[in-house]
Each structure stands twice: as structure tokens, then as C-alpha cells.
Amino acid sequence: MAKERVTVIDIARAAGVSKSTVSLVLQGSSLVNEATRAKVNAVIRELGYVYNRSAANLRQAKSKIIGIVVNDLTNSFFAELAVGVDAVVQSAGFVQFLANTGEKSERQREVIASMREHGVSGLIISPARGTEAADLAPLVESGIPVVLVVRDIARAGVSSLISDNRAGALAAVRHLIARGHRRIAFLGGFADTAVFEARMRGYRDALREAGLNAGDDLVIGSAPSRAGGVTAIEQAMMLEDRPTAALCFNDAVAFGVCDGLRARRLEPGADFAVIGFDDVIEAKTAVPALTTVSVDPQGMGERAAELLLKQIKAGRAEPEAIVGPVRLVIRQSCGSAVERRAKEVS
Amino acid sequence: MAKERVTVIDIARAAGVSKSTVSLVLQGSSLVNEATRAKVNAVIRELGYVYNRSAANLRQAKSKIIGIVVNDLTNSFFAELAVGVDAVVQSAGFVQFLANTGEKSERQREVIASMREHGVSGLIISPARGTEAADLAPLVESGIPVVLVVRDIARAGVSSLISDNRAGALAAVRHLIARGHRRIAFLGGFADTAVFEARMRGYRDALREAGLNAGDDLVIGSAPSRAGGVTAIEQAMMLEDRPTAALCFNDAVAFGVCDGLRARRLEPGADFAVIGFDDVIEAKTAVPALTTVSVDPQGMGERAAELLLKQIKAGRAEPEAIVGPVRLVIRQSCGSAVERRAKEVS
DNA sequence: CTTAATAATTGGAACGTTCCAATATCGTCA
DNA sequence: TGACGATATTGGAACGTTCCAATTATTAAG
């Protein structure tokens, strides 16, 4: 069954032209006569020719592959990010090489090495936790365009596209304060990441400007997952002076917090205000619909891809550090019932 | 900055050996002397050599890439599937080429073509809706090993790995019946898929063996997503004779159903029994924890990858059609409160 | 010592494409 | 008619690797 490869030479012979002409047709050159082009295309279809990109890559040193490496594909935020990247990369005639590191930097190293071997012409990376500038140095020196998304790395010397985490957290907490909350927790996330640090900064700044103290007891880290959210809220409810609202590290945590609340017969939105971060697809349809800081993962993927494509086209570009806007979308999980209750209490 | 490529010849020159020897070292051949190997490896590191897979692929017609194409990466079921595939494929020294079709068969065609051009040595496909045997024919004829997952395609002539959808649905509905439910709905999913058809068959068979009628009014299709679940349950609650329980097409729909129930002040698990399908990660931690038919997406990905790898190694293998076991995992969403209430009613 | 066997190493051809410079074909204008 | 430009086409070299057959160095056996 596995017949031997049909090559450009076979096509040439069958169509009665030279291999150069066939090559020209393949790249859609305008140099070739309409009639010849039609003839060649017909033969290509007839013989079931499959273009060999390895050969082409070898000759011209550019590959039409872009790589994207994410730290946790299981988190829908990153899945959506990948979908966004795919969309624009695809329509630019590139193909996407996606790898998941599962937060393991060893795995990340392998994956990046493999992508380089395959000659990707650019890389979009959402780095695993603990990745340092030194880890990326060889890659960066090789001159391959790289765009960091979601998590920036200091002095890595590459472009980055992150969202304005501080501003988002600030807006969210201000909103809670305006609704009368005084005991506001920050739940979930690992403290050793830059994203955590930035969101935390916004949280603290909002509290400070309202003259509230940001006691560390109200900051409770956990895995940035649904399960992590459950444990974080449980811990929060053990405090003698309980919070009445929480800003969560991300939407997954927020969903977990809602779950944990319900497990204690508390209704999120009514008995306790919760705000998430990211605005993943489910945030809108969940019940109660999640109030969250919208980061638009898909849009972020698209913009990262556009940025990368621009750099690829430009050859060598100055690294840009873009921080994307973010907006608080108010839905039900910090609902008006809370507002009333919280005001009575305070 | 973008210095020119270091090739195997540069290494050879610097190490004082021939390019053939360097090549041997690269592939870990036992033919080469220990001292030489060490020397060459040192030079490789020193010059920052990057292996060129395009060139290698060109020479030997096998590529160490396996492709995986999924129909909806946004659905965590498929994201987990991909993670499972990645794990085993990786440890076998292959790398994964992942593409998302978003259920568009046009896109699927492009993506598969692109993968063939890159010389993938095998393909795992979760086909887009409406894919037919004819769509895969050219691929299959080329002799590239293909494993279909999740959705099978009749007479495609390739291996497939699907789960026992009928048995899962059967067990789930039997369980509901044993708990006293008589009006059981089937919610969500598109009716034109084989998966829907199989789950539906299990649903009907269970009802029939209990002597219950499976009126079509209780079967309500929708998009297989969280949002789809919300609309499906809304529609179900409009019926004059309302159901007291539902088997959902998948977990996403089940979550949506829970959301929809809460929106009507009904507590899933207590006031209405809901069972999902797939057992995605969140099913366990959700509140109430979702009773669901476990398909183990990650495990499924692993097994699909193993099957594919086996076929790649064997050259040409007989297509196998594996249907994986499935088990009902009982958690809270069809809780005991329902049992009591339902019994009183009946 | 010679010879045979073994262990290491090697040059060159091949893989399927693209690119370059060169050539062929044609109509047009002086 | 000849020269010219424009339009199409072409052969061959090159890309970086692997593989084969051939060679050289080393050891063991006689």
C-alpha cells in the first residue's frame, strides 16, 4: 500500500515540463503561463502529489511553523489562548506547533529545543513557573523571534504581552469596596509568580487608598485551580473575623470558591461576593454569572500572534513590552443582595 | 545577531573528525569510540549546534512527529485528551503537532494536508462533525497510520478508540431508575453524531427494560456546551409533565443544567438528579460533585497514542476497533435526597 | 610476522525542494 | 530584417543530513 513518494520530478515528467516550472506553480508564481499552470495542477491532483516541506525548509531557511508553548493546557484560559493564536497564525499561512509543559521547566526545555530543531520561525511562550531569563538565553541569542505571553520574565530581552493585572485587581477591589465590603480576601494562586504579585499589588493598593488594612490573614494562596479555590475559601471561613467578599486569583479559583461556599450553604453572590480574573468562556453562563476581570484569552492569543508575525516579517525587531487593557465585567457573583447586606453590617 | 547556521560539517571540522562520525554521535550509535564521542559532544555544546530535522527528514523518510487533530480544544475533554497523548508520545521520543478544527471540516482538511506535508508518521484524529469516510480516504490510502478517537467513522478502514457510550448511558439511566425516577430526560448534544446516537440508545434501552416510555419530548438536543445545557434544561422545565432527573450528553452540558436549575431556585442533587458524561477534571470538585460516566479523557489519549505508536512501529497493521470501558461514578448530583423525594412522588 | 577478524572512521551519493543564471520563444518596432 | 524587450521555461547547484560501501587502525589468532 505504502507506495513510494511522488516528487516534483515525477510531476514534471508527467506534465512535460521541467521541475523548475512545477516548483514555480507550487509557489503560485506569476511567471508561469496560465495553460501550463492548469496542466501542472491537473497532474498534481491526478498523481496525488504531497508537498514535502522538509525539503523546502532545507533549501530556504524559513519554515512557516510557529511554536506555542503553554504551561497548562488543562486550564481553559490557555486552551482559549491557543485557539486565538491558531486563528491568526493559520490565516497567515503558518501552522501551529503546540506543546504543553505542565509547569515543568525540564519539559519546557525539551519542548523548546525540539521546536528549534524543527526550525520554527517564531515562538509564543507562556513560561512555566520559575523560568528565568537564563533559561531562554540560548533561544534568544539564536535570533528567533519570541513573544512571552501572560507571564513576563525580567530582562529576557524579548517581547512580551501581558495584561494589566494590577489595574484589574484595583478596579475589582474598588468595586467591592464601593459596594460596602470591608473584609475582602484575596484567594488562590501561587505567591512566587509575577502575575500573582501584580494582582496582589492592585488588591493592596485599593485597600490602602480606602484606608482599609490589608492584613495578611486575608491573603490565602492555593493552586490556581478549581480545587484550589475550594480549599482557599474553606481556610478563609475558618478565620475568626470572616471576609464578606473575595477577589480570586483567576476564574478557576473563583468557581472553586463558589463551590466551597455552597458546600457551607452560602450562596455566592447573595451571601458572599466573589470576583474572578480572566473571563473564561464559562464565566458568562455560570450561575451565578461570574463577575470577573476580563482578559479575553482568545483576543490575547490573537494579539500575541500578530505581534510575533510582525517580528518575523521585520526580521529583527526591538522587543516590545505590551500590557493589554483589562476591564471589570460586572455580573451576578457580586450581586446586589450583597450590597444591601454588607451595608447593614458595616 | 542571527548568525549563520552551525552544521554538522562545522562540528566535524572543529572536532577533527568527519561529518559521518558526527552524524553517528548524533544518533547515539555504538560504533563510535568513547573518547571521540565525548570530544564531539563537547564541540557541539561549545558551538551551540542545533540539529536540523528538516534535513534529516529529507534523507530518511520518517519524522518523529505525530499529529493530533481535535474538533474543539476549548472543551476540556479534548484538552485533557491532548495532554494524555502528549505524555506518551513525548516519552517515545516523538513530538506532537496539535491542531484544532473547531468542528469545521474545511479546516480539518487543511490541517490534515499540512500535517502530511510535514511528514507526520501518524495521526490521531477526533473528527469534526459530519466527517465521512471519503474525507479520510486519501490520507488512509497513503498508508499513514491513523487512529480515530472519540468519534468513529464507519468503513474508514482505520483503527478507532471510542468509549462504550451505550453501556455508560445504560448504567446511568438504570441508576436513576433504581433511585425511583420515572421521568428522565436526555439533555444536550447534537443528534447527528454517532456519539449522541450511542448514548441515546443506552438511554432508551434502559427505559424500555424498565417498562418506561421514552417519549421524544424528554429528549432535548443543544450545543454540547455549558451554555447549551442551560437552554436544554430551561426547555425541559417548560413541559407540562416535568422530568425529575436527566442524563446529560456530556459534563459541560451537565454543568449548564446545574446552572439552569439554580437559576430557577432548584438545587441540583436535591431537587433534581443530574448525571453527566466524560468525567472531566472539574466533575470531582464541583458542588455538588457531579455523578458522571467516567471516560477518563487523559487515559483515553494515552491509549490512543499507544495504539498509534504500535502501528507506526509495526509498519502496516490491521485496523483495530477498540471500545474502551466506561464506569458510572456516583457522586452528589444525583444525591440521596432525590431518592427519598422521588420515591414519595412515585 | 602474517592473516583474519573486529572496531572506528570516512568520503561521496542521495533525499526533494528552491534559487539563480541562462536560454528559448514570441511579438514589436525601427 | 535585425535587434530588443517581455514572457516562459530550464538545467544545475545548493541546503544539512543519513546511509552505504570502502578504508584504516587495532587486536587476536595462527
Side-chain angles (χ1 to χ4, degrees), chain A residues 239-301:
Chain A
L239 296 173
E240 68 275 34
D241 195 7
R242 294 179 179 176
T244 63
L247 169 62
C248 301
F249 176 71
N250 65 15
D251 286 348
V253 169
F255 288 133
V257 166
C258 290
D259 290 343
L261 251 14
R262 289 218 181 84
R264 314 189 132 241
R265 307 271 147 227
L266 254 32
E267 187 53 27
D271 305 320
F272 191 102
V274 2
I275 297 189
F277 217 111
D278 286 352
D279 198 16
V280 300
I281 281 183
E282 302 98 28
K284 192 162 26 187
T285 52
V287 172
L290 192 67
T291 292
T292 188
V293 178
S294 177
V295 165
D296 183 15
Q298 207 153 320
M300 197 161 173

Side-chain angles (χ1 to χ4, degrees), chain A residues 4 14 50 83 95 99 106 169 177 193 207 236 240 267 285 322-323:
Chain A
E4 53 196 30
V50 175
V83 169
V95 1
E106 170 61 13
I177 291 171
T193 64
L207 291 182
E240 68 275 34
E267 187 53 27
T285 52
I322 299 183
V323 354

Side-chain angles (χ1 to χ4, degrees), chain A residues 7-8 23 49 51 59:
Chain A
T7 81
V8 96
S23 175
Y49 168 75
Y51 186 76
R59 188 61 235 267

Side-chain angles (χ1 to χ4, degrees), chain A residues 6-209:
Chain A
V6 177
T7 81
V8 96
I9 298 191
D10 301 319
I11 303 293
R13 196 154 23 221
V17 297
S18 79
K19 61 182 172 30
S20 304
T21 304
V22 177
S23 175
L24 255 12
V25 171
L26 251 19
Q27 345 181 17
S29 162
S30 60
L31 287 179
V32 29
N33 183 292
E34 225 20 85
T36 335
R37 176 195 310 282
K39 173 75 183 154
V40 169
N41 277 325
V43 175
I44 283 178
R45 251 189 310 276
E46 184 185 336
L47 299 194
Y49 168 75
V50 175
Y51 186 76
N52 184 335
R53 268 186 210 278
S54 290
N57 285 181
L58 179 54
R59 188 61 235 267
Q60 32 169 52
K62 45 179 170 165
S63 76
K64 289 297 191 179
I65 301 180
I66 81 100
I68 161 164
V69 356
V70 302
N71 52 287
D72 181 13
L73 193 57
T74 285
N75 182 331
S76 42
F77 178 86
F78 294 104
E80 285 172 39
L81 185 88
V83 169
V85 169
D86 198 32
V88 349
V89 138
Q90 167 74 16
S91 60
F94 281 71
V95 1
Q96 188 195 46
F97 217 151
L98 186 149
N100 181 37
T101 62
E103 297 287 13
K104 302 216 254 309
S105 56
E106 170 61 13
R107 187 69 215 287
Q108 178 171 275
R109 249 202 36 244
E110 295 170 358
V111 144
I112 292 178
S114 172
M115 287 181 169
R116 289 185 65 188
E117 294 183 354
H118 284 284
V120 295
S121 31
L123 227 33
I124 293 178
I125 306 179
S126 164
R129 279 175 66 207
T131 304
E132 292 166 16
D135 299 321
L136 299 181
L139 174 63
V140 174
E141 277 163 24
S142 75
I144 296 178
V146 174
V147 171
L148 258 23
V149 277
V150 183
R151 300 170 175 176
D152 196 8
I153 292 179
R155 295 195 315 284
V158 295
S159 292
S160 63
L161 174 60
I162 61 175
S163 37
D164 196 340
N165 292 301
R166 180 182 162 278
L170 190 72
V173 175
R174 275 181 185 159
H175 179 74
L176 289 171
I177 291 171
R179 294 219 156 185
H181 292 279
R182 292 294 170 265
R183 296 276 299 165
I184 301 170
F186 184 95
L187 302 180
F190 290 122
D192 61 351
T193 64
V195 174
F196 183 94
E197 195 273 327
R199 293 183 184 176
M200 174 64 74
R201 200 142 33 82
Y203 163 79
R204 287 196 198 284
D205 289 353
L207 291 182
R208 194 171 308 123
E209 76 185 14

Side-chain angles (χ1 to χ4, degrees), chain B residues 235-317:
Chain B
Q235 213 175 315
M237 297 315 259
M238 307 284 261
L239 297 173
E240 68 276 35
D241 195 8
R242 293 179 180 176
T244 63
L247 170 62
C248 301
F249 176 72
N250 66 14
D251 286 347
V253 168
F255 289 131
V257 166
C258 290
D259 291 342
L261 287 169
R262 289 218 182 84
R264 316 188 132 242
R265 304 273 147 227
L266 255 30
E267 186 54 25
D271 305 320
F272 191 102
V274 3
I275 298 189
F277 217 112
D278 286 353
D279 198 14
V280 300
I281 282 183
E282 303 98 27
K284 193 162 28 191
T285 52
V287 173
L290 191 66
T291 292
T292 188
V293 179
S294 176
V295 165
D296 183 15
Q298 207 153 322
M300 198 161 171
E302 287 165 13
R303 290 171 55 206
E306 279 156 11
L307 179 56
L308 184 69
L309 254 19
K310 193 180 81 179
Q311 298 201 0
I312 290 174
K313 216 175 308 175
R316 185 71 192 153

